[in-house]
Amino acid sequence: MERNLALEFVRITEAAALHSARWMGRGLEKEADQAAVDAMRKAFDSVRIDGTVVIGEGERDEAPMLFIGEKVGRKTDDAPAIDIALDPLEGTTICARGGVGAISVIAVAERGNFLHAPDTYMQKIACGPAAKGVIDLDKSTKENVGRVAEALRKSIQDVTVVILDRPRHQELIAEVRALGARIQLIGDGDVSAAVATAWMDSGIDLLMGTGGAPEGVISAAAMQCLGGDFQGRLKFRNQGERDRASKMGLQDLDQKFTIDALARGKVMFCATGVTDGPFLEGVKFLADRQATTHSVVMRSETGTIRKISTQHNLARKPNA
């Protein structure tokens, strides 16, 4: 995959972040999400790729744009064929409430290297490079926390587990508390949380719980670039989702997916902050129609991580 595409994808996440950030704190989730989708969709039109969205805003009948299976990019005879996993606004509620850690994110891989699955839930576990290989969805909470503590040479009391604050996680939260480990509860944004387990000085050691499957594939791509670990298992909400998964080629619907089953080969991950968070700074709108964005680009092939700070002159940007 061409490394020169990295900057092209950053421009796409920047566009989505700039447009959705204008809705920060206004309490309008749908409008914030639609602004990100529209900006990202338009930005893809200028990129020379033969792209297919395999993880997107939903199924064709649920999303007006950037649905699973949609073709994107400016296709030419020599355009690279790539699969795309994206979330124009990861943390829609965060943005609408003016909270912490909303981002715009894209992960790309060569054709066929991302898991194709319907928009459903996924049980997840993630950790950084130092604990790679010790986590296992089939193990108990006690075993996973203990293994990570041992790998990091920490006491269990110093291990921090990030968990989505949802009623479905009451038992998991109680188990972690009983072990004496620290917990950071988040309202949304588990891609950022998964990345944080492998991000230097984040203070997060382990992600556990159930969240969106699309975010799981994107998280796995990021962890491939960072050298971390990730596992997931689909958790279907109804028979219709199970039927769609079968039609998409999944044979074992209860399979435990390793990181390599979710995102393999040469993978690229790009994200731009929408609101301030521990992973990325958010969009700042300045005087004289200036704005700043902060992004990260990562490639699994080289392990390169680029942090990009950009100043935008919105007066010179069409439709900005």
Side-chain angles (χ1 to χ4, degrees), residues 163-184:
I163 304 172
L164 277 171
D165 190 4
R166 297 288 189 274
R168 63 180 178 268
H169 288 147
Q170 288 182 357
E171 182 177 346
L172 172 61
I173 291 168
E175 289 175 344
V176 175
R177 285 174 174 167
L179 293 172
R182 289 157 40 94
I183 297 176
Q184 181 172 326

Side-chain angles (χ1 to χ4, degrees), residues 294-315:
H294 293 83
S295 306
V296 64
V297 184
M298 304 186 289
R299 298 177 67 222
S300 65
E301 183 178 8
T302 60
T304 301
I305 301 172
R306 287 187 172 87
K307 299 177 182 178
I308 300 174
S309 178
T310 307
Q311 183 163 332
H312 305 264
N313 186 337
L314 301 181

Side-chain angles (χ1 to χ4, degrees), residues 5-318:
L5 284 174
L7 190 55
E8 297 288 350
F9 288 121
V10 168
R11 291 192 181 103
I12 295 173
T13 56
E14 285 177 347
L18 284 165
H19 282 75
S20 59
R22 285 200 170 97
W23 295 91
M24 174 181 150
R26 295 171 62 182
L28 300 169
E29 295 185 18
K30 291 183 179 179
E31 287 81 354
D33 189 50
Q34 192 64 58
V37 171
D38 291 346
M40 183 171 279
R41 180 68 177 80
K42 184 175 180 63
F44 265 117
D45 291 341
S46 64
V47 182
R48 187 186 59 82
I49 55 170
D50 175 11
T52 302
V53 177
V54 298
I55 296 293
E57 285 285 278
E59 316 291 328
R60 180 187 291 270
D61 59 348
E62 297 173 355
M65 295 182 182
L66 296 172
F67 53 81
I68 296 172
E70 182 176 356
K71 304 293 290 186
V72 296
R74 181 170 55 84
K75 184 178 179 181
T76 61
D77 290 341
D78 60 345
I82 61 173
D83 281 350
I84 301 168
L86 54 81
D87 195 337
L89 181 56
E90 202 256 339
T92 304
T93 303
I94 292 173
C95 180
R97 293 181 178 178
V100 175
I103 63 173
S104 176
V105 60
I106 294 173
V108 298
E110 294 172 335
R111 184 64 47 84
N113 282 354
F114 281 146
L115 173 71
H116 293 209
D119 186 3
T120 186
Y121 283 148
M122 177 182 283
Q123 182 188 6
K124 309 172 188 179
I125 188 167
C127 67
K132 185 177 178 67
V134 306
I135 57 173
D136 190 338
L137 279 180
D138 291 332
K139 301 295 183 182
S140 67
T141 299
K142 180 178 180 179
E143 288 177 286
N144 278 308
V145 174
R147 287 180 172 201
V148 169
E150 183 178 358
L152 298 179
R153 298 189 297 278
K154 285 186 173 185
S155 67
I156 287 180
Q157 289 74 20
D158 292 335
V159 171
T160 301
V161 184
V162 63
I163 304 172
L164 277 171
D165 190 4
R166 297 288 189 274
R168 63 180 178 268
H169 288 147
Q170 288 182 357
E171 182 177 346
L172 172 61
I173 291 168
E175 289 175 344
V176 175
R177 285 174 174 167
L179 293 172
R182 289 157 40 94
I183 297 176
Q184 181 172 326
L185 294 175
I186 58 172
D188 286 286
D190 64 353
V191 171
S192 294
V195 171
T197 66
W199 202 249
M200 188 177 298
D201 300 326
S202 73
I204 303 297
D205 302 308
L206 187 62
L207 166 78
M208 301 182 76
T210 302
E215 291 84 355
V217 176
I218 295 170
S219 298
M223 300 305 273
Q224 286 283 28
C225 298
L226 288 164
D229 206 357
F230 187 97
Q231 290 184 1
R233 178 179 284 118
L234 296 175
K235 294 294 183 180
F236 300 103
R237 292 168 288 192
N238 51 57
Q239 187 59 43
E241 289 184 348
R242 295 182 71 89
D243 292 342
R244 283 201 294 273
S246 296
K247 290 179 181 178
M248 297 172 83
L250 291 178
Q251 297 179 347
D252 181 0
L253 300 185
D254 299 314
Q255 177 181 346
K256 176 180 68 178
F257 293 100
T258 65
I259 186 172
D260 291 324
L262 292 164
R264 60 184 180 274
K266 299 175 182 177
V267 175
M268 189 184 300
F269 175 93
C270 303
T272 300
V274 178
T275 65
D276 283 344
F279 176 35
L280 289 166
E281 291 183 41
V283 176
K284 304 292 190 299
F285 292 105
L286 311 176
D288 298 321
R289 296 212 66 199
Q290 303 289 311
T292 59
T293 57
H294 293 83
S295 306
V296 64
V297 184
M298 304 186 289
R299 298 177 67 222
S300 65
E301 183 178 8
T302 60
T304 301
I305 301 172
R306 287 187 172 87
K307 299 177 182 178
I308 300 174
S309 178
T310 307
Q311 183 163 332
H312 305 264
N313 186 337
L314 301 181
R316 298 184 182 181
K317 284 180 176 284

